[in-house]
Amino acid sequence: MSAKNFQGLKAQAEGAAKDAANAFGQATQDAVNQFTEASQKAIDKASKTVQDGVEKATGQAAEAVSGLGKKCGFKK
């Protein structure tokens, strides 16, 4: 094999390796982005669930206090 042919093969192999590394890097970044997006959606959903629960509990507590006040004669 001539030195020129070897240099050509070497350049092709280096190019293929760079392409593979770039593809792997992009695939990794895509996976990280998907994981981040899914995590954010899960956090948003959990936060909304907690917020809804707090609002419901607050409403129930207000109703209970109001009912207690009526029973004790503080409110009409």
Side-chain angles (χ1 to χ4, degrees), residues 4-76:
K4 185 176 182 180
N5 287 341
F6 180 75
Q7 288 295 336
L9 288 174
K10 180 181 174 191
Q12 286 179 348
E14 288 173 348
K18 286 179 183 177
D19 289 346
N22 288 338
F24 178 74
Q26 186 60 52
T28 301
Q29 185 61 52
D30 290 347
V32 168
N33 290 345
Q34 288 177 354
F35 178 77
T36 301
E37 185 177 329
S39 297
Q40 187 61 52
K41 285 181 181 179
I43 290 168
D44 290 347
K45 186 174 182 179
S47 296
K48 176 73 171 120
T49 300
V50 169
Q51 181 181 2
D52 290 348
V54 168
E55 288 173 2
K56 184 177 180 181
T58 302
Q60 290 173 342
E63 287 178 19
V65 169
S66 176
L68 179 63
K70 287 178 185 176
K71 286 183 180 178
C72 294
F74 298 130
K75 288 189 170 185
K76 292 183 182 181

